[in-house]
């Protein structure tokens, strides 16, 4: 095919020169979403969103920030009227149920129940101002002096907050799992005890039933077995009697048959010998007479 | 005793139902008895029920020469009576002894059941009385799981860090109850 082009006499086009302008060499501009700066990247890391070159965010200790572990199943309720002993006073000494969560605290130091009475009087900020003021007063008047390493508390508190946010969820989850296993172990022990009791009841009831059946039926079986043996002995006697009689009758019949067979054989032999002898000796010229008889018969046959 | 005892040819016992009602401890005995019963039944079924009827008149016609013998045989055959017999008294007495033994066995089982029922009831009541495990307090653990949580206020226990089981029985305590350290011969009490 190219040979046709090659054989063209006139070459109008010498070379093809591609022409590109300077603007064609530049890369198209990226938007801020596509090209995050360093601070955007840090923010994305904190948020847990994966960067452009990643399929998922890398595993970090800050994954669990903001998560609070809540036990999936609440603790079972103790009945309101549960008394360990009949004389128990439930009004003044209610049964000490184990609470699911520890009592609420503000800043892990001041119980919530010491703060809520302030709300009616001073509003939400009341407890903080009161206790803060108390702390400041005691500090200022040197009623409560804390040691010089107290400045490190800020750092320790910060580290605690970081650790709690990073690992608190995971620690709670694993501790709950251990608690569940312990409770399941105890419950297993209880079930074993109860299972033993119910199994004993079931087995002893079955054994009672079996013994009753044995008592009702085994004597019958014993008697029946003995009766069957007796019957078998009787039938064996019958069989022997009938066998003996049959032998005797068979003997008589066989002797009679033998005798008759012998008589018949003897008679036949006698007759045939006699006939043979008379033929051989030609007694009374029987041969001629036989021949004449045959010829006569043949004649009669030929006429038919 | 009447001579004509009841004749048996088939089993009047429902073996299948009986097998369902019995527990494992009685299976061997029942199998043995069932085997015996089937053996004897097989024997009984194999053998003839009664004496066969023999036509002596036809035989006499067939064998006139032996009519005298046949006459005597016929007479003997027709006057023959095979005694059925009866089961010896000794075996019936054995059955009665077995019945006594069985009654004693039943009584023993009833006593065992009663005792066990009492124990089972105690266990069930104990656990019905207990609070939920999640709300156990310190004293409940020692009360309801004494094998695991011991109470040294009323238990004498020796340290067993390797869980050999020194505290499981009181064998050690019994063995060394009066164990005294050998005293020196010249040791006196007055000073």
């Amino acid at each position: 095919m190219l040979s046709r082009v090659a054989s063209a006499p006139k070459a109008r086009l010498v070379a093809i020169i591609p022409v590109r302008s300077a603007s064609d060499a530049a890369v198209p501009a990226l938007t801020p979403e596509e090209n995050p700066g360093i601070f955007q990247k840090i923010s994305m890391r904190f948020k847990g969103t994966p960067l452009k070159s990643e399929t998922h965010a890398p595993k970090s200790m800050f994954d669990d920030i903001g998560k609070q572990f809540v036990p999936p199943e609440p603790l079972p309720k103790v009945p309101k009227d549960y008394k360990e002993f009949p004389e128990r006073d439930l009004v003044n000494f209610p049964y000490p149920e184990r609470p699911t969560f520890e009592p609420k605290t503000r800043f892990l130091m001041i119980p919530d129940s010491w703060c809520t009475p302030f709300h009616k009087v001073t509003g939400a900020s009341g407890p903080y101002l009161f206790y803060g003021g108390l702390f400041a007063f005691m500090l200022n008047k040197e009623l409560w002096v804390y040691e010089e390493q107290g400045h490190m508390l800020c750092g320790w508190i910060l580290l605690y907050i970081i650790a709690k946010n990073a690992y608190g969820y995971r620690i709670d989850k694993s501790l709950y799992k251990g608690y569940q296993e312990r409770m399941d172990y105890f419950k297993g022990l209880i079930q074993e005890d109860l299972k033993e009791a119910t199994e004993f009841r079931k087995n002893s009831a079955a054994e009672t039933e079996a013994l009753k059946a044995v008592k009702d039926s085994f004597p019958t079986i014993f008697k029946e077995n003995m009766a069957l043996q007796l019957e078998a002995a009787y039938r064996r006697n019958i069989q022997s009697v009938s066998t003996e009689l049959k032998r005797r009758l068979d003997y008589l019949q066989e002797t009679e048959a033998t005798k008759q067979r012998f008589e018949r054989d003897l008679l036949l032999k006698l007759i045939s010998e006699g006939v043979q002898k008379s033929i051989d000796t030609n007694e009374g010229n029987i041969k001629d007479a036989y021949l004449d008889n045959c010829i006569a018969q043949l004649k009669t046959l030929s006429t038919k | 005793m009447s001579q004509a005892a009841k004749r048996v040819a088939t089993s009047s016992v429902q073996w299948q139902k009986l097998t369902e009602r019995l527990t494992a401890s009685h299976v061997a005995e029942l199998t043995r008895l069932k085997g015996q019963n089937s053996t004897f039944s097989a024997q009984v079924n194999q053998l003839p029920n009664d004496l066969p009827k023999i036509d002596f008149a036809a035989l006499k016609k067939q064998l006139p020469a032996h009519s005298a013998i046949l006459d005597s045989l016929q007479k003997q055959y027709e006057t023959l009576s095979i005694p059925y017999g009866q089961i010896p008294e000794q075996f019936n007495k054995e059955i009665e002894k077995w019945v006594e033994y069985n009654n004693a066995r039943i009584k023993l089982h009833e006593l065992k059941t009663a005792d066990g029922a009492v124990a089972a009831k105690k266990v069930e009541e104990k656990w019905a009385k207990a609070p939920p495990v999640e709300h156990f307090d310190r004293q409940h653990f020692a009360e309801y799981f004494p094998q695991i949580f011991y109470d040294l206020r009323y238990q004498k226990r020796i340290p067993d860090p390797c869980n050999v089981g020194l505290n499981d029985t009181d064998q050690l305590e019994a063995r060394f109850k009066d164990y005294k350290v050998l005293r020196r011969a010249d040791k006196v009490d007055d000073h």
Side-chain angles (χ1 to χ4, degrees), chain A residues 14-66:
Chain A
V14 176
I16 300 165
I17 301 162
V19 174
R20 292 170 71 219
S21 62
S23 62
D24 289 337
V27 174
L30 290 166
T31 55
E33 285 92 40
E34 292 168 21
N35 184 23
I38 184 69
F39 292 110
Q40 278 96 16
K41 281 189 191 164
I42 291 171
S43 161
M44 282 163 83
R45 276 275 186 265
F46 268 104
K47 284 196 192 115
T49 51
L51 293 177
K52 217 161 50 141
S53 58
E54 293 163 359
T55 46
H56 54 267
K59 202 161 78 128
S60 84
M61 64 189 235
F62 302 116
D63 286 337
D64 298 329
I65 286 183

Side-chain angles (χ1 to χ4, degrees), chain A residues 238-239 241-243 245-246, chain B residues 48 50-56 77:
Chain A
I238 286 178
Q239 195 184 49
V241 160
S242 68
T243 326
L245 184 69
K246 193 163 171 308
Chain B
D50 255 329
L51 285 171
K53 293 265 169 296
I54 297 184
D55 191 359
F56 280 98
Y77 193 60

